[in-house]
Amino acid sequence: MAATHWNGTATAVSPVDLLPHATLVEGLQLIADGLVAVAGFAVAAIRIRRGDELELVVDTGLPEEIGTRIPVKLMVDELELAEDWGILQFVPHERSSIGAESGWIVPDVAISDAPDAWHPLDMLVAPLYDDQGVLRGTLAIDEPNDGRRPGADRRRVLERFAALASRAVLSVVERESLAEQVAMANTVKEIVRTTSAQLSLDGLLAASERTLVEGFRADGLWIQTIIGDDRTAWMHTPDDVTLELPPAIVEFAARSASYCWHHQLVVTIGDASPVPAMMEPAQFREIVDLIHGISMCSLVFVPLGAGPEHMGSLVLTRRDPQREWTEIECSALLDIGHDLGRATLNARTFEREHALVAELRALDTYKSQLIATVSHELKSPLTTVTGHLEMLESDTIGIGAQARPSLDAIGRASQRMSRVIEDLLLLRRIGDTELPLRQEPVDLLALVQDAIAMSALIAESKHLDITLDVPARPVVVLGERDELDKVVLNVVSNAVKYTPEGQSIRISLETRPETVVFRVADQGLGIAEADRAQLFTEFFRSNNPVAVAQPGTGLGLAIVKRIVERHRGAVDVDSTLGEGSTFTVTLPVGPAASPPSPAAGDRDERGSLPNPLRVG
């Protein structure tokens, strides 16, 4: 348990309302439970970062420890001693500095003499980094069921779960960052609502006053707008304060607004504040004396504008010296500076808002589909795993031949879950526009032969007649072999899956001067015209009951399309419902695929290779 639990001094445990949202915790718990069920470990723990500490949010071993924290530095120090297993980092007890004397919880368990035995002080953890390389959380596992350190096969399973956990934890962190800004976001929304309804500048300023003062718990407010040569000021002060701004201060505010808008700065001024870059020390002191003269302790200066043009400034003041202007408040105020500036140009405001709403709705829809698919495809196999495991564990006599169906069910569920996870991770990877394409010569003929071999068992059981029509020499394209293998396997396996018994499938490869054409024609179910328009969309499943009965996630063809387009190719489908489908993949030809000069004894340009590859 040393890899997951620490008993040292740390910040007081936060209350439940500081933990991640319940729905997010359930998702992380699902990942941890799946890891425990499939990978053969008793304990999985997930931590997310809170400042300089890592908080335990999921623990399958000691759930009563949820909410406890450890210093980030403690974990970083241990990771420096780790063996690099990819995403996972392994710190064997021989290297580790952890122990009871350093604050870690060390269970009192017997240790095997086997050379690969798991030691209670062994640590296996996946540090989870964001795109900027900042540690955002950890996934730790402990107590292998067989008492041994994981081998290569189990590491691959653990790597997949670690990658999935990384995305989930980063989602939690992003959600919590948004949650910190809820109050400020509500203020921003209120400003947008009130200003959008105002057609006059006076109405705009009056509508903004109360929301700004109450939303930011300010004691005073001053807004100056500048549109061309016209200037308008609006001031809110406490009842016991009379303020007459010196002309020099007003003029300085106008100049500062231009500077701050250009540099997108929000400036705070008070006794403890540094002198801003655009101010002289004497000017800074004059403004500090001015706010002291009206019984205030600090102010925040916010530029207003739209696009490249500044349109004035907003100033909020506070009396309480203990209430500093936080970074979140300054960020929200800068947003309001944008909103107030755009509110003077209503046409732009509405265009902007409508575009943002549409984008957010589309993003929310995609996220919902993703979460729903992941939830369904992970929960169902895990339920099967759990049910059959419980049945096996209740067998007091011993596991015999009668347990084989249960073991088979566990294997099938695990494989299904692994395929879903692999497809999701692959879809995310190939969708990364910044990920470079590693180009190397790839023989498509070899990939086609492998795909047919992998589908041979199903094809034989359905008595399908599969023929292959190819050139007599390699068919080479440039690209990543694993990705192209996924394309070929998906297209071939789909044809086998959806073709009824006794029918035929024809697979062909053709090398043209600039392209290679891979085509698979089947006599299967066919695809309705309405479905063809969405066929390559993520998570799309046909409404055809026969097709729906076949297992699948709706990701296969979406992955095919993304990979093909990533290789500067194209994929097309020609299908008639009830008569079959023909999928055609076109890719740029590789340099090694150019036909050589004819020589004596050469075979014909197209070889007769159907027999060795014929299934039926």
Side-chain angles (χ1 to χ4, degrees), residues 150-192:
D153 291 339
R154 194 185 297 180
R155 289 187 200 176
R156 283 192 288 271
V157 174
L158 297 176
E159 285 273 312
R160 295 171 188 153
F161 274 91
L164 181 62
S166 177
R167 293 195 307 166
V169 171
L170 291 178
S171 176
V172 170
V173 173
E174 291 171 1
R175 180 68 64 87
E176 289 193 328
S177 177
L178 292 175
E180 286 184 39
Q181 304 178 50
V182 166
M184 296 300 101
N186 287 337
T187 301
V188 173
K189 290 178 183 178
E190 184 64 26
I191 287 290
V192 172

Side-chain angles (χ1 to χ4, degrees), residues 186-188 190-191 194 206-216:
N186 287 337
T187 301
V188 173
E190 184 64 26
I191 287 290
T194 56
S208 305
E209 174 186 345
R210 182 176 177 180
T211 303
L212 286 167
V213 171
E214 293 181 357
F216 289 90

